Structure formats: C-alpha cells, structure tokens
Amino acid sequence: MTRLTPNSVVSVGNMRMPIIGLGTWMSTPEEIDIALNAAIDAGYRHIDTAFAYFNEAAIGSSLKKIFESGKITREELFITTKLPMPGNRYEDVEVFLKKSLEDLQLDYLDLYLVHFPAGMVNKDMSNIFPTDDDGKPMIDRSTDLLELWKGMEAQVDEGRTKNIGISNFNKNQIQKILDNCRIRPANLQVELHINLQQKELVSFCKENGVTVVAYSPLGSSGYKTFLEKGGISTEGARVLHPMEDPVIKEIAKNHNKQPSHVLLRYLIEYGVAVIPKSTNPSRIKKNFDIFDFKLTEEEFEKISALDRGEGGRILGGRGMVGFFNLLEDHPEYPFPK
Ligand SMILES: NC(=O)c1ccc[n+]([C@@H]2O[C@H](COP(=O)([O-])OP(=O)(O)OC[C@H]3O[C@@H](n4cnc5c(N)ncnc54)[C@H](OP(=O)(O)O)[C@@H]3O)[C@@H](O)[C@H]2O)c1
C-alpha cells in the first residue's frame, strides 16, 4: 500500500478523487455553510451531494463565498452530485443536471452519478419521490439503463461533468453498462462499512477500473431519524453501531485514536474513498484526522472479519425495513443482486 496522506486520491483515467470527502445527506441548508467552511479548513477537497438532498442551492451559495474568499479555487475541489430517480431516462438527465449546476453555481461537476438504478415517474421536478393518490410510489418500470447511460455520456460530451458513474447498482447492472458503454463509469458509490464490506463487488470494480466510494462509512447513525421524519415505520429496521464494536474500540485504543478514525482508516486502506457526513465542525475536523496512524496486518484482518455480508446492510434491501425497499417492485431494484 502506498502511503496515505490528506492528498491521496482514488483515480482512473483523468479522474483524481480525494480519498475522503464530506457527505451531506440530511445536512439542512441552514447547516451547510458552517459544515463546508469547517471541512475546507480541515483539508477536505471533496464534497458529495445529490439533487435529492435538497441542499444544492445552499452548497452553491456557500461555495461561491468560499471561492470569492480565495481560500481555495474551484479547480482544487472535487464535487459530486447525483441524478434523482425521476430523472432516470435519456431526455431527463440533461434537465436535472442543468438544474443541479444552476443551484450549485458551477460550470461543471467532477462526477455525476445515477443515484439509483430504478426510475420513477417525473411528475414534477421538485418531487423526487412521487406517490399516487393511494400513497404508493410512482415507479417507472420502463427504466432502460443503457438509454439512460447514453444520456449520461452526452453530459460529458457537453462539458457539464468531467466524469460519470453509478450508485446503488449491482454487479450485473454495472456489467451491462461496461459491455455497452462509450464512456466507462469512473465510479460506483455504495453502502460500505465494516459490517457490509462488499468484497466481491469491490474486487469486481477494481478489475474493471471502476473506483469505489463508501457511503455510510460510519454506520449512518442518522438514518433511523430520517425514516421517522419521513413517516416510514422503523419497526424491524436494522440498526448497527460500528463505532461501538469492541474490536474497533480495542484497535482505536491501541493507536490512541477514536473508533470513528479506525472505521474510516480501514476503508481507505481497503482501497475505497470515504464520505463521512457531519455538520458538527469538531466531528468534521476529527473525521479527517486519519492520516497519522496505520493499521497492522493483524488489525486489518480482524476488521475484515467483521463483515456480515448482506446481514450488515443498513439502508435497505429486498425484504428489509427502510426507504429503498419501497421500490422493490421495480425490475431494476438492486439489492441483493
Ligand atoms: N448514494 C447513496 O444512495 C447514498 C446513500 C447514503 C449516503 N450517501 C452519502 O454518503 C454520506 C455518508 O453517509 P451517511 O450520512 O448515511 O452516514 P455516515 O457518514 O456513516 O454517518 C453520519 C452520521 O454519523 C454522525 N457522525 C459523523 N461523524 C461522527 C463522529 N466522528 N462520531 C460520532 N458520530 C458521527 C453524524 O452526525 P452529525 O452530523 O451530528 O455529526 C451523522 O448522524 C451521505 O451524507 C451522503 O453524502 C449516499
């Protein structure tokens, strides 16, 4: 393993993505400015957002001020956003991406991801999870991943994004894109943490030159609150506490670090980028502080053994309580593959 530093990147082709980025799901517009400034000051040069997080406009106005202050330039920052499910068709990609760029006050993105392989009806752009009169999700079963990908490729041609990728896709869906694309997906963003290590999928991506970003790397402790706020029952929802794991605590103690450091350090040593979310300035700073220690081989193996496979999935899969599984009826519903 080459030495990991705050400037380390995961790369493919011309894409150089900083190995740690700031996650912003559930970060409210009011919280964004403080969070972004704390992140930039701490050394983050990578920001992850999505149309569906409803904070792109706040990120845009905060970034504008940050760039104007001369703290950093646009070119020094790596910015990812995502196409929401109602945009999952060729002609809608451009419409949604233009709106994201307008809100983010940017000329281009570094990475644009298809957020989820399943599409929904595009009832009205501001409604990213449309439901019918009976409250049922308006799934668009006609999602054509190859046509959608052509729409993504067109955005690279138009210069709106430097790279394109996918999120929450399974191996078969990625293979289908790889077999038919003109521009290869540069990145896959998936749920990935010590309890769901996605070893087969990560190996597959490495073999195929697709970089991987681990979302919910700390175990997404805010997810239950998110479901409750959305009126989704949390009864039976899987809640895991990777930061409380005795193995992680013990290893943290060995290095005089916090469990959160060990969770993130393991993932970057494993070869993926991480995007921990926080809006708390001291936790934002703390999460970046993972470059002054290294896991021993034995510690790495112990953490590797904490993988529970599908039993470690938190955000939802077929038959699980959660948000994603509201789309189980879609032919491209991905988990498990
Ligand atoms: N592509 C997708 O479908 C998808 C899905 C989920 C997430 N994501 C991306 O991945 C990012 C990260 O995932 P996530 O937000 O689900 O979960 P996460 O980063 O694993 O955990 C975030 C939660 O942990 C808390 N936290 C952060 N640092 C902490 C620390 N050092 N000690 C204790 N608690 C800490 C945060 O609260 P505070 O804010 O109060 O610190 C927040 O509640 C998202 O923000 C988003 O950008 C993408």
Side-chain angles (χ1 to χ4, degrees):
M1 186 186 48
T2 49
R3 201 168 77 85
L4 292 165
T5 74
N7 297 322
S8 289
V9 293
V10 292
S11 61
V12 61
N14 291 328
M15 187 184 84
R16 294 175 62 76
M17 170 195 274
I19 202 154
I20 176 164
L22 180 73
T24 65
W25 180 35
M26 295 184 249
S27 305
T28 64
E30 296 71 33
E31 294 169 321
I32 284 293
D33 195 43
I34 288 175
L36 252 56
N37 276 284
I40 300 298
D41 291 346
Y44 291 73
R45 293 294 178 266
H46 169 181
I47 301 193
D48 182 81
T49 184
F51 187 95
Y53 300 167
F54 296 112
N55 57 22
E56 289 179 311
I59 291 178
S61 47
S62 183
L63 285 180
K64 185 170 188 280
K65 284 185 277 171
I66 289 171
F67 295 145
E68 280 171 2
S69 76
K71 247 188 213 179
I72 54 161
T73 62
R74 166 67 186 97
E75 293 68 34
E76 288 173 276
L77 206 54
F78 189 101
I79 303 169
T80 304
T81 193
K82 313 182 192 91
L83 175 72
M85 292 180 286
N88 275 9
R89 56 193 71 72
Y90 180 91
E91 64 279 12
D92 284 339
V93 181
E94 178 173 330
V95 181
F96 278 93
L97 176 47
K98 279 183 168 167
K99 173 74 175 134
S100 286
L101 285 174
E102 185 188 321
D103 284 353
L104 289 163
Q105 304 192 42
L106 298 175
D107 299 329
Y108 71 92
L109 294 172
D110 296 280
L111 179 63
Y112 195 48
L113 301 175
V114 178
H115 204 149
F116 204 81
M120 298 193 80
V121 171
N122 187 6
K123 206 173 165 188
D124 127 36
M125 263 181 95
S126 62
N127 188 350
I128 50 118
F129 199 78
T131 48
D132 64 18
D133 293 343
D134 300 325
K136 283 186 73 180
M138 294 176 74
I139 290 166
D140 175 7
R141 289 186 174 73
S142 71
T143 306
D144 178 339
L145 293 182
L146 298 183
E147 274 305 299
L148 168 58
W149 194 250
K150 284 184 187 146
M152 294 291 283
E153 292 174 326
Q155 304 314 304
V156 179
D157 297 339
E158 294 297 324
R160 293 188 191 101
T161 183
K162 295 205 182 291
N163 300 283
I164 46 178
I166 60 240
S167 180
N168 300 305
F169 276 46
N170 65 35
K171 194 175 150 190
N172 294 336
Q173 290 161 336
I174 302 168
Q175 187 69 63
K176 193 171 168 182
I177 304 276
L178 288 170
D179 289 344
N180 294 281
C181 64
R182 181 167 60 80
I183 302 175
R184 291 170 75 82
N187 180 258
L188 168 71
Q189 186 178 123
V190 277
E191 181 179 339
L192 208 171
H193 42 76
I194 56 154
N195 297 131
L196 176 65
Q197 297 190 21
Q198 308 260 30
K199 290 179 184 170
E200 194 191 331
L201 189 58
V202 170
S203 299
F204 170 78
C205 284
K206 282 189 181 161
E207 281 158 23
N208 285 286
V210 180
T211 61
V212 177
V213 166
Y215 77 60
S216 307
L218 300 170
S220 200
S221 51
Y223 183 52
K224 212 169 166 209
T225 314
F226 167 80
L227 293 179
E228 282 161 1
K229 276 190 186 160
I232 300 169
S233 165
T234 56
E235 211 187 314
R238 189 179 289 144
V239 182
L240 299 172
H241 303 282
M243 275 185 258
E244 301 297 321
D245 189 293
V247 173
I248 298 296
K249 280 180 157 175
E250 174 71 27
I251 295 173
K253 222 167 108 198
N254 294 346
H255 293 277
N256 210 9
K257 300 291 288 183
Q258 303 283 315
S260 52
H261 293 134
V262 174
L263 296 178
L264 298 173
R265 179 74 201 187
Y266 173 73
L267 295 174
I268 62 172
E269 289 191 15
Y270 179 64
V272 301
V274 291
I275 46 170
K277 174 265 173 184
S278 182
T279 47
N280 174 298
S282 75
R283 286 195 284 278
I284 289 173
K285 193 164 183 260
K286 185 165 104 173
N287 291 342
F288 198 78
D289 187 18
I290 52 173
F291 299 101
D292 62 350
F293 76 112
K294 186 177 179 310
L295 300 171
T296 65
E297 251 174 61
E298 195 192 341
E299 288 168 341
F300 189 90
E301 287 312 316
K302 275 188 180 168
I303 303 177
S304 176
L306 298 176
D307 186 14
R308 304 186 195 183
E310 280 302 315
R313 195 181 280 286
I314 298 171
L315 261 62
R318 202 171 284 281
M320 282 178 68
V321 171
F323 169 69
F324 289 161
N325 54 303
L326 296 172
L327 298 160
E328 270 184 354
D329 288 347
H330 195 288
E332 296 290 354
Y333 183 81
F335 315 124
K337 65 178 185 302

